[in-house]
């Protein structure tokens, strides 16, 4: 898999077994796993944060109890601060742990259980809301029993690593969906390698999905394997919050967001490949670092006039464009090049005459994009038709002076 963001997702080097730990809004910490594995674990109790403590009994049962988040925060709440608490890797490589019980009151599960090779079962509380990326990562080879409470709203990338529990989920379905949270698409990429379209629709009913999953690059693991390459993604109306790291990486070129979207979390658009995005008019929260810094951002951001997104973009120093009331970046601009030309009409006719190649689901690199299809709908709200192509031609030839 391509390295997504070094300070956010795990990066391992085989020679030194050095890891950059995935963290929410934090500085990077490097831990040598080889050295950690050699150390004898003797501590049997401690504190993970001000309100969360833990105890390990002689039978190998680890009980974590308390209230709220198990991650200690700095004063501004943005970074981890372990001063006075056990480190985030306190349980890493601890072969004493056979069972984990997280009691009611705990609201999140952090990346605590790397290389817990003897861990067999995990009991999670109904109070749990988030399971962060790589919670049970690397060598949890005996982990077969996990309950995911209905109240869990987000599960991060590779939360269950290569555990038997996760492998079984992959065998059951090429899209791993737990509690309406889509957490893996690897088997889908492999089993649909012969599909010629480059688009992926997140299934209706999915309420959330793990960030980073659209950045798979199997070329390193499958040298001679032709896997499905996803270049565009549509998010269903059942999703109201874009999760952390939603579209990070450099594979995707286009993302279609639902009108129902309300929130965009941190690093959602940490990408150099996405060309543009239209932020829905009813979005009411965007994390400060949802996009890369303004002077580094390569995504063309479009917003609705007088929307929260417009205020956010202006306040944070991002350049942005305004879409019309129908969500068009430029009415008539079907090829999304910023101009209205005869080529826009030609592309519409190509997408209708040869949809396998030129429609939004087509395989050609010059296919019409979803935003282009919306821009090209100038004669009504019935999708692009040949009438739209004729109307655009008439506009270019100055036979009409406006659309709609």
């Amino acid at each position: 898999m391509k390295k997504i963001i070094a300070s956010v997702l795990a990066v391992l080097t085989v020679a030194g077994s050095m890891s950059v730990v995935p963290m929410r809004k934090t500085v990077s910490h490097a831990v040598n796993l080889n050295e950690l594995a050699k150390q004898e674990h003797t501590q049997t109790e401690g504190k993970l944060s001000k309100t969360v403590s833990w105890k390990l009994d002689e039978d190998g049962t680890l009980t974590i109890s308390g209230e709220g988040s198990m991650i200690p925060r700095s004063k501004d709440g943005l970074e981890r601060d372990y001063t006075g608490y056990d480190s985030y890797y306190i349980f890493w490589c601890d072969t004493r742990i056979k069972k984990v019980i997280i009691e009611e009151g705990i609201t999140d599960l952090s990346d605590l259980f790397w290389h817990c090779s003897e861990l067999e079962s995990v009991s999670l509380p109904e109070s749990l809301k988030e399971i962060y990326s790589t919670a049970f990562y690397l060598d949890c080879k005996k982990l077969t029993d996990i309950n995911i409470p209905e109240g869990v709203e987000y599960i991060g990338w590779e939360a269950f690593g290569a555990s038997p529990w996760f492998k079984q989920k992959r065998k059951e379905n090429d899209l791993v969906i737990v509690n309406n949270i889509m957490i893996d698409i690897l088997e889908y990429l492999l089993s649909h390698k012969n599909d010629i379209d480059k688009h992926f629709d997140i299934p209706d009913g999915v309420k959330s999905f793990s960030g980073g999953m659209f950045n798979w690059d199997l070329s390193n693991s499958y040298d001679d394997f032709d896997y499905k390459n996803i270049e565009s993604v549509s998010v269903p109306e059942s999703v109201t919050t874009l999760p952390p790291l939603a579209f990070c990486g450099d594979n995707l070129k286009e993302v279609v967001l639902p009108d129902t979207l309300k929130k965009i979390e941190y690093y959602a658009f940490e990408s150099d490949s996405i060309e543009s995005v239209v932020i829905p008019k009813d979005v009411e929260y965007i994390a400060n670092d949802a996009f890369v810094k303004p002077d580094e951002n390569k995504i063309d951001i479009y917003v609705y006039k007088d929307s929260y997104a417009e205020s956010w973009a202006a306040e944070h120093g991002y350049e942005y464009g305004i879409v019309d009331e129908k969500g068009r970046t430029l009415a008539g601009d079907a090829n999304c090049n910023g101009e209205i030309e005869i080529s826009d009409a030609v592309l519409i006719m190509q997408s209708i005459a040869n949809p396998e190649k030129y429609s939004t689901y087509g395989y050609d690199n010059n296919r019409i994009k979803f935003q282009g299809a919306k821009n090209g709908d100038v004669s009504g709200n019935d999708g692009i038709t040949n009438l739209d192509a004729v109307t655009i031609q008439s506009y270019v030839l100055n036979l009409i002076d406006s659309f709609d």
Side-chain angles (χ1 to χ4, degrees):
M1 184 177 185
K2 291 182 180 177
K3 181 173 71 175
I4 299 177
I5 306 171
S7 62
V8 182
L9 295 181
V11 180
L12 301 177
T13 58
V14 177
S17 294
M18 192 70 72
S19 68
V20 177
V21 179
M23 296 181 179
R24 179 177 182 177
K25 293 285 296 177
T26 185
V27 295
S28 299
H29 292 265
V31 179
N32 191 306
L33 290 173
N34 283 341
E35 293 300 320
L36 195 62
K38 296 176 183 177
Q39 296 179 12
E40 181 181 2
H41 290 77
T42 59
Q43 188 174 344
T44 57
E45 59 184 314
K47 292 185 71 68
L48 296 175
S49 69
K50 183 177 181 180
T51 58
V52 178
S53 59
W54 65 273
K55 187 173 184 178
L56 179 65
D57 67 22
E58 294 181 353
D59 295 329
T61 298
L62 173 67
T63 302
I64 298 177
S65 58
E67 294 184 352
S69 174
M70 63 174 62
I71 301 175
R73 301 291 185 190
S74 58
K75 289 183 178 180
D76 61 9
L78 297 180
E79 295 183 351
R80 297 187 182 193
D81 183 0
Y82 288 94
T83 304
Y85 304 110
D86 295 322
S87 68
Y88 60 90
Y89 54 88
I90 184 66
F91 305 128
W92 288 18
C93 305
D94 192 339
T95 56
R96 299 175 300 167
I97 302 173
K98 295 178 173 60
K99 182 178 182 179
V100 171
I101 299 175
I102 300 179
E103 296 187 340
E104 288 296 332
I106 304 297
T107 57
D108 61 41
L109 175 58
S110 184
D111 46 313
L112 293 173
F113 302 103
W114 287 33
H115 281 275
C116 290
S117 58
E118 298 299 315
L119 177 61
E120 299 174 356
S121 67
V122 177
S123 177
L124 302 176
E126 294 298 323
S127 58
L128 198 69
K129 299 299 181 184
E130 294 181 292
I131 300 176
Y132 291 150
S133 298
T134 66
F136 301 93
Y137 194 62
L138 295 176
D139 203 32
C140 291
K141 57 188 177 183
K142 293 185 178 181
L143 182 54
T144 59
D145 183 15
I146 307 174
N147 69 301
I148 308 296
E150 292 184 3
V152 171
E153 299 171 351
Y154 175 68
I155 299 175
W157 176 80
E158 288 288 300
F160 306 104
S163 67
W165 179 88
F166 189 43
K167 289 180 179 179
Q168 181 60 36
K169 291 295 182 183
R170 279 179 167 169
K171 289 181 180 179
E172 294 171 0
N173 199 316
D174 60 10
L175 293 177
V176 181
I177 300 175
V178 179
N179 291 6
N180 295 318
I181 304 170
M182 188 171 69
I183 64 175
D184 188 70
I185 62 169
L186 176 58
E187 291 301 322
Y188 174 88
L189 297 179
L190 298 177
S191 62
H192 290 73
K193 67 182 187 299
N194 294 322
D195 291 1
I196 58 177
D197 71 86
K198 299 181 180 181
H199 182 75
F200 180 80
D201 287 311
I202 296 177
D204 292 336
V206 167
K207 295 182 179 180
S208 183
F209 55 94
S210 299
M213 69 168 57
F214 298 109
N215 196 51
W216 278 110
D217 179 3
L218 307 182
S219 58
N220 292 330
S221 301
Y222 301 84
D223 293 335
D224 300 319
F225 199 90
D226 183 18
Y227 65 97
K228 181 178 175 64
N229 184 28
I230 295 175
E231 293 186 357
S232 61
V233 172
S234 288
V235 181
E237 292 186 351
S238 49
V239 173
T240 58
T241 298
L242 278 190
L245 302 163
F247 304 114
C248 66
D250 54 7
N251 283 350
L252 293 178
K253 295 182 179 180
E254 184 177 24
V255 173
V256 183
L257 302 179
D259 293 336
T260 53
L261 196 67
K262 300 295 184 183
K263 296 181 179 181
I264 301 176
E265 289 288 0
Y266 60 93
Y267 303 143
F269 291 100
E270 189 88 2
S271 170
D272 290 332
S273 59
I274 296 175
E275 297 170 355
S276 66
V277 62
V278 175
I279 300 178
K281 66 176 69 175
D282 291 331
V283 166
E284 53 195 27
Y285 169 79
I286 302 175
N288 290 341
D289 46 9
F291 295 80
V292 298
K293 297 178 180 179
D295 58 345
E296 299 174 1
N297 178 52
K298 297 180 180 179
I299 301 175
D300 291 333
I301 300 174
Y302 289 92
V303 300
Y304 285 82
K305 187 173 178 57
D306 298 326
S307 66
Y308 166 85
E310 181 181 10
S311 300
W312 180 90
E315 178 183 347
H316 290 79
Y318 288 92
E319 295 183 0
Y320 61 90
I322 300 292
V323 297
D324 64 19
E325 68 281 0
K326 295 183 178 180
R328 299 176 299 197
T329 57
L330 175 60
D333 182 20
N335 60 15
C336 296
N337 70 347
E339 300 179 6
I340 304 173
E341 307 163 308
I342 290 295
S343 58
D344 295 305
V346 171
L347 181 57
I348 289 175
M349 290 187 289
Q350 287 177 319
S351 70
I352 295 171
N354 192 351
E356 185 177 79
K357 185 175 183 180
Y358 291 111
S359 74
T360 51
Y361 289 87
Y363 63 85
D364 193 271
N365 289 333
N366 295 315
R367 66 191 179 280
I368 194 168
K369 298 176 182 177
F370 284 83
Q371 187 60 50
K374 181 172 287 189
N375 290 348
D377 186 6
V378 295
S379 60
N381 285 323
D382 52 356
I384 52 174
T385 65
N386 283 322
L387 179 57
D388 293 309
V390 172
T391 303
I392 292 173
Q393 288 178 344
S394 298
Y395 180 86
V396 173
L397 296 173
N398 294 318
L399 300 178
I400 59 174
D401 56 12
S402 65
F403 297 121
D404 301 326

